[in-house]
Amino acid sequence: MGEQTAIEWTDATWNPVTGCTKVSAGCDNCYAAAFARRRLRHTYLPRRPAVETEENAEDPFAVRLWPERLGQPERWSQPRMIFVNSMSDLFHKDIPQQFVRRIFEVMLTCDRHIYQVLTKRPARAAAFWASNAEELGYAEIPAHIWLGTSIEDQRVAYRRSHLIRVPAAVRFLSCEPLLGPLDLDLDGIHWVIVGGESGPNHRSMESSWACTIREQCRRDSVPFFFKQWGGNTAKAGGRLLDGREWSEFPDVVASAASIAAVT
């Protein structure tokens, strides 16, 4: 899994871990959980969960480790943006810290790619880096590894305060699925993604919610990416906001593309 993806803000996905558990309203209609249980159960079920219990042994979306996938980024010769663990959360409590460290070692060593790590557990991300930075050999996370957190409504806006404790050159917010109006503090944030929910049980997003975030980004000179309106399918509502697509990225993308062009 991983070579291709329809996610607009990345080029590929890489899943050395699969599976997760719900932590907030944004998880209610999780696409990854539905995909795992409907289409990938026969692939996932033979692999034992990282922490096996009677309850999760037959759950395709229990957390599972796939060490054989660790070498995948090295096999991709052309630089690309890689969404790390699109089918999981790298900082889930069931993932052994040693395995998270191995994933970081791959990202740090194979640095021709940009890695996009998105978590709903930014406090655990900050704690991981604080306890492992010295062993990994970096005081700060380099610019080719982006750390982001999901903020779907104001109730979880506190995640931003945990995220900025991570000494990353690029930190981002994913406001998807956007479930209500947000008043964001963008200090220390370098990119914002906004998107509506998709799927048969999708909850609608109001245009004013997306436009308000876009204006906050403009005010604070933060790149803004509008992913989708959502609907019964991910592409149903399209990507136009006020008559145009918004596909801004942090400056490091342009820098990486320039380097790739001359190497």
Side-chain angles (χ1 to χ4, degrees), residues 66-212:
W66 302 84
E68 65 270 31
R69 298 177 180 176
L70 287 171
Q72 192 170 29
E74 186 59 47
R75 294 193 291 271
W76 292 334
S77 59
Q78 294 299 314
R80 61 187 68 187
M81 291 187 292
I82 301 173
F83 180 11
V84 181
N85 279 358
S86 64
M87 295 292 292
S88 184
D89 186 324
L90 186 58
F91 299 102
H92 192 284
K93 64 180 179 61
D94 287 350
I95 304 175
Q97 191 166 119
Q98 181 181 8
F99 197 74
V100 178
R101 194 160 54 241
R102 290 177 67 187
I103 293 171
F104 265 88
E105 287 169 351
V106 172
M107 295 190 291
L108 290 165
T109 301
C110 189
D111 59 2
R112 62 178 168 272
H113 305 303
I114 288 173
Y115 300 90
Q116 299 155 311
V117 181
L118 180 61
T119 181
K120 286 185 171 67
R121 298 162 174 85
R124 294 183 63 85
F128 168 82
W129 190 257
S131 60
N132 288 273
E134 184 175 357
E135 183 171 344
L136 290 169
Y138 288 81
E140 299 181 351
I141 299 176
H144 72 284
I145 302 175
W146 303 359
L147 263 291
T149 194
S150 300
I151 297 180
E152 65 265 27
D153 59 32
Q154 201 66 41
R155 290 174 294 180
V156 293
Y158 67 86
R159 289 175 181 161
R160 174 258 171 204
S161 63
H162 294 305
L163 180 66
I164 63 170
R165 290 169 43 210
V166 183
V170 178
R171 305 184 198 93
F172 68 97
L173 304 180
S174 175
C175 304
E176 184 194 4
L178 185 58
L179 301 179
L182 284 175
D183 181 16
L184 296 171
D185 180 354
L186 297 180
D187 185 31
I189 301 300
H190 308 98
W191 188 36
V192 175
I193 303 165
V194 169
E197 190 169 51
S198 59
N201 299 312
H202 70 278
R203 293 160 284 186
S204 297
M205 174 179 63
E206 294 187 14
S207 60
S208 61
W209 303 346
C211 290
T212 296

